[in-house]
Amino acid sequence: MKLLHYIGIFIKTLLRLLLKPLSFVPALVMMYIIFGLSAQDGQSSGQLSYKVTKTAVEVVDEAANMDLSRIQIESYTDRLHPYVRKLAHFTEYLLLAISVALPLYVYRLRGIPLVFVAGLFCVGFAFLDEYHQSFVAGRGPSGRDVFIDSCGALLGILITRIFGFIGRKTIFAPLAVKPKRKRHC
């Protein structure tokens, strides 16, 4: 019986040693995606976001049975395109912040230090990303984009803190409670 107990402890320890460092892999993937999208020249980036906007308008048209004409779809696409581009910035950094903050939370960085460290990392990456764009044809750095990225990162960090707090108080609370030992008189 004791052998099974020690084997269980060994497996838990091994999993923690392997899984904790791997928890940063999603952040690396998000950074790669952001960098790849920023490396597109201005025309390619514009075409991609225009295509996404047009698809979204077509999906809404279909789902809401609006029966928009081709000209109306193009008109809505033209009007919404700049907002979709900014929403993409916001969303990228929201996901980056979650993928950065969650492993830090797992490593017991919580509260204001979590907001500071994850926020500083994401905002720093946003600045570097905009600087990187200054070397890409048809692209340029934008302070507005850094601000939008930072807002997305802040929301991502706050979402991580909220879900982490709720998880600690509900799902993981029973795991943290150690059974009381019986006293022998």
Side-chain angles (χ1 to χ4, degrees):
M1 193 65 151
K2 284 224 181 229
L3 180 62
L4 288 177
H5 174 73
Y6 289 120
I7 290 174
I9 290 173
F10 174 75
I11 290 173
K12 271 182 161 176
T13 305
L14 185 63
L15 283 174
R16 281 189 181 136
L17 286 173
L18 292 174
L19 293 180
K20 275 182 126 177
L22 291 176
S23 65
F24 287 100
V25 169
L28 294 172
V29 169
M30 274 309 303
M31 292 166 60
Y32 178 78
I33 290 169
I34 291 169
F35 185 82
L37 290 170
S38 294
Q40 293 178 329
D41 63 72
Q43 185 177 2
S44 297
S45 175
Q47 287 173 346
L48 176 63
S49 60
Y50 190 85
K51 186 188 287 187
V52 168
T53 307
K54 186 174 182 183
T55 301
V57 169
E58 290 170 346
V59 166
V60 169
D61 174 42
E62 186 73 28
N65 292 323
M66 297 170 66
D67 295 325
L68 296 175
S69 68
R70 186 183 55 77
I71 294 171
Q72 288 173 312
I73 289 174
E74 294 294 330
S75 174
Y76 280 118
T77 302
D78 289 340
R79 281 191 267 164
L80 294 173
H81 182 236
Y83 300 106
V84 169
R85 287 185 68 82
K86 298 309 173 195
L87 181 62
H89 271 271
F90 186 89
T91 305
E92 287 172 342
Y93 280 85
L94 179 132
L95 295 173
L96 176 63
I98 290 171
S99 65
V100 166
L102 192 57
L104 293 174
Y105 197 89
V106 168
Y107 277 99
R108 299 190 186 282
L109 187 64
R110 306 224 166 96
I112 298 301
L114 173 70
V115 174
F116 182 75
V117 170
L120 188 62
F121 181 85
C122 291
V123 171
F125 192 77
F127 273 107
L128 288 173
D129 183 46
E130 290 300 319
Y131 179 70
H132 163 248
Q133 286 183 27
S134 68
F135 298 104
V136 177
R139 305 285 294 264
S142 166
R144 179 184 291 166
D145 286 349
V146 171
F147 177 75
I148 292 168
D149 298 343
S150 300
C151 290
L154 180 61
L155 181 60
I157 294 166
L158 292 176
I159 288 170
T160 302
R161 286 196 63 206
I162 290 167
F163 278 98
F165 177 79
I166 291 170
R168 263 193 10 246
K169 296 298 180 188
T170 58
I171 298 168
F172 299 111
L175 300 175
V177 175
K178 295 184 180 186
K180 293 183 181 180
R181 294 183 186 193
K182 292 182 182 179
R183 287 187 182 189
H184 296 287
C185 296

